[in-house]
Amino acid sequence: MIDDRALFGESLATAVNAQAGDVVMRHWRCAQALADLQTVQRDADIVLVCIGRASLTKGSTNQLLKALLRDDSHPPVAVLADTVNPNMVRNGMAMGLGGMIASSVPLGSVISALRQIHSGATVLPNMN
């Protein structure tokens, strides 16, 4: 999981690791992940990028996602976002994301989405 918010990233990783025995989440800061992208991609079955309210198509988030999705051998990349709308979902799918998860869902739903993405499914938020 990549997130520049230390408290959120470390807390989410701790909560996931405590609740799901079959899921191990490690927290990376964006700069760390970009500096050691090969390790992140080699060691991860899924890369979850927590973007808060950032745009998928602009700024450092876009730069990180492009780097993660650059070659065909990357693990699935999913986004956890505070605000999800149909345009964002279209952009994410066009980029090649394996899923998009709204941060408003319960922790169990995040874990379930990660399991589904790991099994090859594309996970999209409920837009109702």
Short mmCIF file of all heavy atoms in Angstrom, two decimals, residues 63-127:
data_model
loop_
_atom_site.label_atom_id
_atom_site.label_comp_id
_atom_site.label_asym_id
_atom_site.label_seq_id
_atom_site.Cartn_x
_atom_site.Cartn_y
_atom_site.Cartn_z
N GLN A 63 1.70 10.49 -11.86
CA GLN A 63 3.08 10.07 -12.11
C GLN A 63 3.35 8.70 -11.50
O GLN A 63 3.93 7.82 -12.13
CB GLN A 63 4.02 11.12 -11.50
CG GLN A 63 5.38 11.17 -12.05
CD GLN A 63 6.12 12.38 -11.46
OE1 GLN A 63 5.77 12.94 -10.43
NE2 GLN A 63 7.17 12.79 -12.15
N LEU A 64 2.91 8.50 -10.25
CA LEU A 64 3.10 7.22 -9.57
C LEU A 64 2.35 6.11 -10.28
O LEU A 64 2.89 5.04 -10.53
CB LEU A 64 2.64 7.33 -8.11
CG LEU A 64 2.63 6.03 -7.31
CD1 LEU A 64 4.03 5.44 -7.19
CD2 LEU A 64 2.00 6.25 -5.95
N LEU A 65 1.07 6.36 -10.62
CA LEU A 65 0.28 5.34 -11.30
C LEU A 65 0.87 4.97 -12.65
O LEU A 65 0.93 3.78 -13.00
CB LEU A 65 -1.17 5.80 -11.44
CG LEU A 65 -1.96 5.88 -10.13
CD1 LEU A 65 -3.30 6.56 -10.35
CD2 LEU A 65 -2.12 4.52 -9.49
N LYS A 66 1.34 5.94 -13.41
CA LYS A 66 1.98 5.64 -14.70
C LYS A 66 3.21 4.78 -14.50
O LYS A 66 3.45 3.85 -15.27
CB LYS A 66 2.35 6.94 -15.43
CG LYS A 66 1.17 7.60 -16.10
CD LYS A 66 1.64 8.83 -16.85
CE LYS A 66 0.49 9.49 -17.60
NZ LYS A 66 0.94 10.70 -18.31
N ALA A 67 4.01 5.07 -13.48
CA ALA A 67 5.21 4.27 -13.22
C ALA A 67 4.83 2.84 -12.84
O ALA A 67 5.45 1.89 -13.30
CB ALA A 67 6.04 4.92 -12.11
N LEU A 68 3.80 2.69 -12.00
CA LEU A 68 3.38 1.36 -11.57
C LEU A 68 2.79 0.53 -12.72
O LEU A 68 2.92 -0.69 -12.74
CB LEU A 68 2.33 1.47 -10.46
CG LEU A 68 2.85 1.93 -9.10
CD1 LEU A 68 1.69 2.33 -8.20
CD2 LEU A 68 3.71 0.86 -8.46
N LEU A 69 2.13 1.21 -13.66
CA LEU A 69 1.45 0.53 -14.75
C LEU A 69 2.27 0.48 -16.05
O LEU A 69 1.78 0.02 -17.07
CB LEU A 69 0.10 1.22 -15.03
CG LEU A 69 -0.90 1.18 -13.88
CD1 LEU A 69 -2.02 2.18 -14.11
CD2 LEU A 69 -1.43 -0.22 -13.68
N ARG A 70 3.50 0.93 -15.98
CA ARG A 70 4.33 1.10 -17.17
C ARG A 70 4.53 -0.17 -17.99
O ARG A 70 4.40 -0.18 -19.19
CB ARG A 70 5.69 1.67 -16.78
CG ARG A 70 6.56 2.02 -17.97
CD ARG A 70 7.78 2.82 -17.57
NE ARG A 70 7.34 4.14 -17.12
CZ ARG A 70 7.79 4.73 -16.01
NH1 ARG A 70 8.67 4.13 -15.25
NH2 ARG A 70 7.35 5.91 -15.66
N ASP A 71 4.86 -1.28 -17.35
CA ASP A 71 5.12 -2.49 -18.13
C ASP A 71 4.04 -3.54 -17.85
O ASP A 71 3.27 -3.43 -16.92
CB ASP A 71 6.52 -3.05 -17.86
CG ASP A 71 6.73 -3.47 -16.43
OD1 ASP A 71 5.96 -4.31 -15.94
OD2 ASP A 71 7.66 -2.95 -15.79
N ASP A 72 4.00 -4.55 -18.69
CA ASP A 72 2.95 -5.56 -18.61
C ASP A 72 3.13 -6.54 -17.45
O ASP A 72 2.21 -7.27 -17.12
CB ASP A 72 2.87 -6.34 -19.92
CG ASP A 72 2.37 -5.49 -21.07
OD1 ASP A 72 1.63 -4.52 -20.81
OD2 ASP A 72 2.70 -5.80 -22.22
N SER A 73 4.29 -6.58 -16.85
CA SER A 73 4.54 -7.58 -15.81
C SER A 73 4.23 -7.07 -14.40
O SER A 73 4.59 -7.72 -13.43
CB SER A 73 5.99 -8.04 -15.89
OG SER A 73 6.86 -6.95 -15.62
N HIS A 74 3.58 -5.94 -14.28
CA HIS A 74 3.28 -5.39 -12.96
C HIS A 74 2.15 -6.16 -12.28
O HIS A 74 1.30 -6.75 -12.94
CB HIS A 74 2.92 -3.91 -13.07
CG HIS A 74 1.65 -3.66 -13.84
ND1 HIS A 74 0.41 -3.83 -13.29
CD2 HIS A 74 1.45 -3.25 -15.11
CE1 HIS A 74 -0.52 -3.53 -14.19
NE2 HIS A 74 0.09 -3.19 -15.31
N PRO A 75 2.17 -6.16 -10.94
CA PRO A 75 1.02 -6.74 -10.23
C PRO A 75 -0.19 -5.83 -10.42
O PRO A 75 -0.04 -4.67 -10.80
CB PRO A 75 1.48 -6.75 -8.77
CG PRO A 75 2.52 -5.69 -8.68
CD PRO A 75 3.18 -5.63 -10.03
N PRO A 76 -1.40 -6.34 -10.15
CA PRO A 76 -2.57 -5.46 -10.26
C PRO A 76 -2.40 -4.23 -9.37
O PRO A 76 -1.88 -4.32 -8.26
CB PRO A 76 -3.72 -6.33 -9.76
CG PRO A 76 -3.24 -7.73 -9.87
CD PRO A 76 -1.75 -7.68 -9.70
N VAL A 77 -2.86 -3.10 -9.88
CA VAL A 77 -2.80 -1.84 -9.14
C VAL A 77 -4.24 -1.40 -8.90
O VAL A 77 -5.04 -1.34 -9.82
CB VAL A 77 -2.03 -0.76 -9.93
CG1 VAL A 77 -2.06 0.57 -9.19
CG2 VAL A 77 -0.60 -1.21 -10.20
N ALA A 78 -4.54 -1.11 -7.64
CA ALA A 78 -5.87 -0.62 -7.26
C ALA A 78 -5.72 0.72 -6.56
O ALA A 78 -4.65 1.05 -6.04
CB ALA A 78 -6.56 -1.61 -6.34
N VAL A 79 -6.81 1.48 -6.56
CA VAL A 79 -6.82 2.80 -5.93
C VAL A 79 -7.88 2.82 -4.84
O VAL A 79 -9.00 2.35 -5.04
CB VAL A 79 -7.09 3.89 -6.99
CG1 VAL A 79 -7.47 5.21 -6.35
CG2 VAL A 79 -5.89 4.08 -7.89
N LEU A 80 -7.51 3.37 -3.70
CA LEU A 80 -8.44 3.65 -2.61
C LEU A 80 -8.61 5.16 -2.58
O LEU A 80 -7.62 5.89 -2.39
CB LEU A 80 -7.88 3.14 -1.28
CG LEU A 80 -8.74 3.36 -0.05
CD1 LEU A 80 -9.97 2.45 -0.08
CD2 LEU A 80 -7.94 3.10 1.22
N ALA A 81 -9.82 5.65 -2.85
CA ALA A 81 -10.05 7.08 -2.99
C ALA A 81 -11.19 7.55 -2.10
O ALA A 81 -12.16 6.84 -1.89
CB ALA A 81 -10.38 7.41 -4.45
N ASP A 82 -11.05 8.78 -1.59
CA ASP A 82 -12.10 9.37 -0.76
C ASP A 82 -13.32 9.73 -1.59
O ASP A 82 -14.44 9.60 -1.13
CB ASP A 82 -11.59 10.64 -0.06
CG ASP A 82 -10.55 10.33 1.00
OD1 ASP A 82 -10.35 9.15 1.33
OD2 ASP A 82 -9.94 11.30 1.50
N THR A 83 -13.09 10.19 -2.79
CA THR A 83 -14.17 10.61 -3.66
C THR A 83 -14.07 9.83 -4.96
O THR A 83 -13.06 9.89 -5.64
CB THR A 83 -14.06 12.12 -3.97
OG1 THR A 83 -14.00 12.83 -2.75
CG2 THR A 83 -15.24 12.60 -4.77
N VAL A 84 -15.13 9.08 -5.29
CA VAL A 84 -15.14 8.30 -6.51
C VAL A 84 -16.37 8.72 -7.32
O VAL A 84 -17.46 8.81 -6.78
CB VAL A 84 -15.20 6.79 -6.21
CG1 VAL A 84 -15.17 5.98 -7.49
CG2 VAL A 84 -14.04 6.38 -5.31
N ASN A 85 -16.15 9.00 -8.60
CA ASN A 85 -17.25 9.37 -9.48
C ASN A 85 -17.10 8.61 -10.80
O ASN A 85 -16.04 8.04 -11.07
CB ASN A 85 -17.31 10.89 -9.69
CG ASN A 85 -16.03 11.43 -10.31
OD1 ASN A 85 -15.62 10.99 -11.38
ND2 ASN A 85 -15.40 12.39 -9.64
N PRO A 86 -18.15 8.60 -11.62
CA PRO A 86 -18.08 7.83 -12.88
C PRO A 86 -16.91 8.23 -13.78
O PRO A 86 -16.28 7.35 -14.39
CB PRO A 86 -19.43 8.12 -13.55
CG PRO A 86 -20.35 8.40 -12.42
CD PRO A 86 -19.50 9.14 -11.40
N ASN A 87 -16.59 9.51 -13.85
CA ASN A 87 -15.47 9.95 -14.69
C ASN A 87 -14.14 9.38 -14.16
O ASN A 87 -13.30 8.92 -14.94
CB ASN A 87 -15.42 11.47 -14.75
CG ASN A 87 -14.41 11.97 -15.75
OD1 ASN A 87 -14.37 11.50 -16.89
ND2 ASN A 87 -13.60 12.93 -15.33
N MET A 88 -13.97 9.36 -12.86
CA MET A 88 -12.76 8.82 -12.26
C MET A 88 -12.66 7.32 -12.55
O MET A 88 -11.59 6.81 -12.87
CB MET A 88 -12.74 9.07 -10.75
CG MET A 88 -11.54 8.48 -10.04
SD MET A 88 -11.66 8.69 -8.26
CE MET A 88 -10.67 10.16 -8.07
N VAL A 89 -13.78 6.63 -12.46
CA VAL A 89 -13.79 5.19 -12.73
C VAL A 89 -13.40 4.94 -14.19
O VAL A 89 -12.57 4.06 -14.47
CB VAL A 89 -15.17 4.56 -12.40
CG1 VAL A 89 -15.25 3.12 -12.89
CG2 VAL A 89 -15.41 4.63 -10.89
N ARG A 90 -13.98 5.70 -15.11
CA ARG A 90 -13.61 5.55 -16.54
C ARG A 90 -12.12 5.80 -16.75
O ARG A 90 -11.45 5.04 -17.44
CB ARG A 90 -14.43 6.52 -17.41
CG ARG A 90 -15.82 6.04 -17.74
CD ARG A 90 -16.49 6.91 -18.79
NE ARG A 90 -16.67 8.29 -18.36
CZ ARG A 90 -17.68 8.72 -17.60
NH1 ARG A 90 -18.60 7.88 -17.19
NH2 ARG A 90 -17.76 9.99 -17.26
N ASN A 91 -11.60 6.85 -16.14
CA ASN A 91 -10.16 7.15 -16.28
C ASN A 91 -9.30 6.03 -15.69
O ASN A 91 -8.30 5.63 -16.28
CB ASN A 91 -9.82 8.48 -15.60
CG ASN A 91 -10.31 9.68 -16.35
OD1 ASN A 91 -10.50 9.65 -17.58
ND2 ASN A 91 -10.53 10.77 -15.65
N GLY A 92 -9.70 5.53 -14.54
CA GLY A 92 -8.95 4.45 -13.90
C GLY A 92 -8.93 3.18 -14.73
O GLY A 92 -7.90 2.53 -14.87
N MET A 93 -10.07 2.84 -15.31
CA MET A 93 -10.13 1.63 -16.14
C MET A 93 -9.32 1.83 -17.42
O MET A 93 -8.65 0.91 -17.88
CB MET A 93 -11.57 1.26 -16.45
CG MET A 93 -12.39 0.83 -15.23
SD MET A 93 -11.67 -0.55 -14.30
CE MET A 93 -10.74 0.28 -13.00
N ALA A 94 -9.35 3.03 -17.99
CA ALA A 94 -8.56 3.32 -19.19
C ALA A 94 -7.06 3.24 -18.89
O ALA A 94 -6.28 2.86 -19.76
CB ALA A 94 -8.92 4.71 -19.74
N MET A 95 -6.67 3.57 -17.67
CA MET A 95 -5.26 3.49 -17.28
C MET A 95 -4.81 2.05 -17.08
O MET A 95 -3.62 1.76 -17.09
CB MET A 95 -5.03 4.27 -15.98
CG MET A 95 -5.23 5.75 -16.09
SD MET A 95 -5.17 6.54 -14.47
CE MET A 95 -3.40 6.61 -14.22
N GLY A 96 -5.75 1.16 -16.82
CA GLY A 96 -5.40 -0.24 -16.57
C GLY A 96 -5.44 -0.65 -15.12
O GLY A 96 -4.84 -1.67 -14.75
N LEU A 97 -6.14 0.10 -14.28
CA LEU A 97 -6.24 -0.27 -12.87
C LEU A 97 -7.00 -1.58 -12.71
O LEU A 97 -7.92 -1.88 -13.47
CB LEU A 97 -6.95 0.82 -12.08
CG LEU A 97 -6.22 2.15 -11.92
CD1 LEU A 97 -7.10 3.14 -11.16
CD2 LEU A 97 -4.89 1.95 -11.21
N GLY A 98 -6.63 -2.33 -11.69
CA GLY A 98 -7.32 -3.57 -11.39
C GLY A 98 -8.54 -3.35 -10.52
O GLY A 98 -9.35 -4.25 -10.34
N GLY A 99 -8.67 -2.16 -9.98
CA GLY A 99 -9.84 -1.86 -9.17
C GLY A 99 -9.79 -0.49 -8.56
O GLY A 99 -8.74 0.15 -8.51
N MET A 100 -10.95 -0.06 -8.12
CA MET A 100 -11.09 1.20 -7.41
C MET A 100 -11.99 0.94 -6.21
O MET A 100 -13.04 0.31 -6.34
CB MET A 100 -11.68 2.26 -8.32
CG MET A 100 -10.78 2.56 -9.51
SD MET A 100 -11.38 3.93 -10.48
CE MET A 100 -10.94 5.28 -9.42
N ILE A 101 -11.57 1.43 -5.05
CA ILE A 101 -12.28 1.19 -3.82
C ILE A 101 -12.54 2.55 -3.17
O ILE A 101 -11.62 3.36 -3.06
CB ILE A 101 -11.45 0.30 -2.87
CG1 ILE A 101 -11.02 -0.99 -3.57
CG2 ILE A 101 -12.22 0.02 -1.59
CD1 ILE A 101 -9.91 -1.74 -2.86
N ALA A 102 -13.75 2.78 -2.74
CA ALA A 102 -14.09 4.01 -2.02
C ALA A 102 -13.65 3.85 -0.57
O ALA A 102 -13.89 2.82 0.06
CB ALA A 102 -15.59 4.27 -2.10
N SER A 103 -13.01 4.87 -0.03
CA SER A 103 -12.51 4.77 1.35
C SER A 103 -13.64 4.82 2.37
O SER A 103 -13.39 4.63 3.56
CB SER A 103 -11.49 5.87 1.63
OG SER A 103 -12.08 7.14 1.50
N SER A 104 -14.86 5.03 1.93
CA SER A 104 -16.01 5.07 2.85
C SER A 104 -16.53 3.67 3.19
O SER A 104 -17.39 3.53 4.06
CB SER A 104 -17.14 5.91 2.25
OG SER A 104 -17.54 5.36 1.01
N VAL A 105 -16.02 2.63 2.52
CA VAL A 105 -16.50 1.28 2.79
C VAL A 105 -15.85 0.73 4.06
O VAL A 105 -14.76 1.16 4.45
CB VAL A 105 -16.26 0.32 1.59
CG1 VAL A 105 -16.94 0.83 0.34
CG2 VAL A 105 -14.78 0.08 1.36
N PRO A 106 -16.49 -0.25 4.71
CA PRO A 106 -15.89 -0.87 5.90
C PRO A 106 -14.59 -1.61 5.56
O PRO A 106 -14.38 -2.02 4.41
CB PRO A 106 -16.96 -1.87 6.36
CG PRO A 106 -18.22 -1.47 5.68
CD PRO A 106 -17.81 -0.77 4.41
N LEU A 107 -13.77 -1.80 6.57
CA LEU A 107 -12.48 -2.47 6.39
C LEU A 107 -12.66 -3.85 5.77
O LEU A 107 -11.89 -4.23 4.88
CB LEU A 107 -11.75 -2.59 7.73
CG LEU A 107 -10.39 -3.26 7.71
CD1 LEU A 107 -9.41 -2.50 6.80
CD2 LEU A 107 -9.84 -3.38 9.12
N GLY A 108 -13.67 -4.58 6.17
CA GLY A 108 -13.91 -5.91 5.61
C GLY A 108 -14.15 -5.86 4.11
O GLY A 108 -13.75 -6.76 3.37
N SER A 109 -14.79 -4.79 3.64
CA SER A 109 -15.03 -4.64 2.20
C SER A 109 -13.74 -4.34 1.45
O SER A 109 -13.57 -4.77 0.31
CB SER A 109 -16.05 -3.53 1.96
OG SER A 109 -17.30 -3.89 2.52
N VAL A 110 -12.84 -3.58 2.07
CA VAL A 110 -11.53 -3.32 1.45
C VAL A 110 -10.78 -4.64 1.32
O VAL A 110 -10.23 -4.94 0.25
CB VAL A 110 -10.71 -2.30 2.28
CG1 VAL A 110 -9.29 -2.18 1.74
CG2 VAL A 110 -11.40 -0.94 2.30
N ILE A 111 -10.76 -5.43 2.37
CA ILE A 111 -10.07 -6.72 2.34
C ILE A 111 -10.69 -7.64 1.29
O ILE A 111 -9.98 -8.28 0.51
CB ILE A 111 -10.07 -7.38 3.74
CG1 ILE A 111 -9.23 -6.52 4.70
CG2 ILE A 111 -9.54 -8.81 3.68
CD1 ILE A 111 -9.39 -6.89 6.16
N SER A 112 -12.01 -7.68 1.23
CA SER A 112 -12.70 -8.49 0.23
C SER A 112 -12.34 -8.03 -1.18
O SER A 112 -12.09 -8.86 -2.07
CB SER A 112 -14.21 -8.40 0.44
OG SER A 112 -14.90 -9.10 -0.57
N ALA A 113 -12.30 -6.73 -1.40
CA ALA A 113 -11.93 -6.20 -2.72
C ALA A 113 -10.51 -6.60 -3.09
O ALA A 113 -10.24 -6.99 -4.23
CB ALA A 113 -12.09 -4.68 -2.73
N LEU A 114 -9.59 -6.54 -2.14
CA LEU A 114 -8.20 -6.94 -2.41
C LEU A 114 -8.13 -8.42 -2.79
O LEU A 114 -7.41 -8.80 -3.71
CB LEU A 114 -7.31 -6.64 -1.21
CG LEU A 114 -7.12 -5.17 -0.88
CD1 LEU A 114 -6.36 -5.01 0.43
CD2 LEU A 114 -6.43 -4.43 -2.01
N ARG A 115 -8.90 -9.25 -2.10
CA ARG A 115 -8.93 -10.68 -2.43
C ARG A 115 -9.47 -10.90 -3.84
O ARG A 115 -8.97 -11.72 -4.60
CB ARG A 115 -9.78 -11.44 -1.42
CG ARG A 115 -9.12 -11.60 -0.07
CD ARG A 115 -10.01 -12.36 0.88
NE ARG A 115 -9.36 -12.55 2.17
CZ ARG A 115 -9.94 -12.26 3.33
NH1 ARG A 115 -11.18 -11.81 3.38
NH2 ARG A 115 -9.28 -12.46 4.45
N GLN A 116 -10.54 -10.16 -4.19
CA GLN A 116 -11.13 -10.30 -5.53
C GLN A 116 -10.14 -9.86 -6.60
O GLN A 116 -10.00 -10.53 -7.64
CB GLN A 116 -12.40 -9.46 -5.62
CG GLN A 116 -13.55 -10.00 -4.81
CD GLN A 116 -14.73 -9.04 -4.81
OE1 GLN A 116 -15.07 -8.49 -5.83
NE2 GLN A 116 -15.32 -8.85 -3.64
N ILE A 117 -9.46 -8.75 -6.39
CA ILE A 117 -8.47 -8.25 -7.36
C ILE A 117 -7.35 -9.27 -7.49
O ILE A 117 -6.89 -9.56 -8.60
CB ILE A 117 -7.95 -6.86 -6.95
CG1 ILE A 117 -9.08 -5.83 -7.05
CG2 ILE A 117 -6.77 -6.45 -7.82
CD1 ILE A 117 -8.79 -4.52 -6.36
N HIS A 118 -6.93 -9.85 -6.37
CA HIS A 118 -5.87 -10.86 -6.40
C HIS A 118 -6.29 -12.07 -7.23
O HIS A 118 -5.47 -12.69 -7.92
CB HIS A 118 -5.50 -11.29 -4.98
CG HIS A 118 -4.38 -12.26 -4.93
ND1 HIS A 118 -4.58 -13.61 -4.73
CD2 HIS A 118 -3.03 -12.08 -5.07
CE1 HIS A 118 -3.41 -14.22 -4.74
NE2 HIS A 118 -2.46 -13.33 -4.95
N SER A 119 -7.58 -12.40 -7.21
CA SER A 119 -8.06 -13.56 -7.97
C SER A 119 -8.32 -13.23 -9.45
O SER A 119 -8.74 -14.09 -10.21
CB SER A 119 -9.33 -14.12 -7.34
OG SER A 119 -10.41 -13.24 -7.54
N GLY A 120 -8.07 -11.98 -9.83
CA GLY A 120 -8.19 -11.61 -11.25
C GLY A 120 -9.40 -10.77 -11.59
O GLY A 120 -9.57 -10.37 -12.74
N ALA A 121 -10.25 -10.51 -10.63
CA ALA A 121 -11.45 -9.70 -10.88
C ALA A 121 -11.10 -8.21 -10.90
O ALA A 121 -10.11 -7.79 -10.34
CB ALA A 121 -12.49 -9.95 -9.80
N THR A 122 -11.93 -7.46 -11.59
CA THR A 122 -11.84 -6.00 -11.55
C THR A 122 -12.91 -5.52 -10.59
O THR A 122 -14.08 -5.89 -10.72
CB THR A 122 -12.09 -5.39 -12.94
OG1 THR A 122 -11.07 -5.87 -13.84
CG2 THR A 122 -12.03 -3.88 -12.91
N VAL A 123 -12.52 -4.74 -9.61
CA VAL A 123 -13.44 -4.27 -8.56
C VAL A 123 -13.71 -2.79 -8.80
O VAL A 123 -12.77 -1.99 -8.88
CB VAL A 123 -12.86 -4.51 -7.17
CG1 VAL A 123 -13.74 -3.89 -6.09
CG2 VAL A 123 -12.67 -5.99 -6.92
N LEU A 124 -14.99 -2.45 -8.87
CA LEU A 124 -15.40 -1.06 -9.06
C LEU A 124 -16.37 -0.68 -7.95
O LEU A 124 -17.13 -1.51 -7.47
CB LEU A 124 -16.07 -0.87 -10.41
CG LEU A 124 -15.20 -1.22 -11.62
CD1 LEU A 124 -16.00 -1.07 -12.91
CD2 LEU A 124 -13.96 -0.34 -11.66
N PRO A 125 -16.36 0.60 -7.54
CA PRO A 125 -17.26 1.02 -6.47
C PRO A 125 -18.70 1.07 -6.95
O PRO A 125 -18.97 1.26 -8.14
CB PRO A 125 -16.75 2.42 -6.12
CG PRO A 125 -16.10 2.90 -7.36
CD PRO A 125 -15.52 1.68 -8.02
N ASN A 126 -19.60 0.92 -6.00
CA ASN A 126 -21.01 1.08 -6.28
C ASN A 126 -21.27 2.57 -6.49
O ASN A 126 -20.98 3.37 -5.60
CB ASN A 126 -21.84 0.54 -5.12
CG ASN A 126 -23.32 0.59 -5.37
OD1 ASN A 126 -23.77 1.18 -6.35
ND2 ASN A 126 -24.07 -0.03 -4.48
N MET A 127 -21.77 2.95 -7.63
CA MET A 127 -21.96 4.36 -7.95
C MET A 127 -23.38 4.84 -7.62
O MET A 127 -23.76 5.92 -8.00
CB MET A 127 -21.63 4.63 -9.42
CG MET A 127 -20.21 4.31 -9.80
SD MET A 127 -18.95 5.12 -8.80
CE MET A 127 -19.26 6.82 -9.14
#
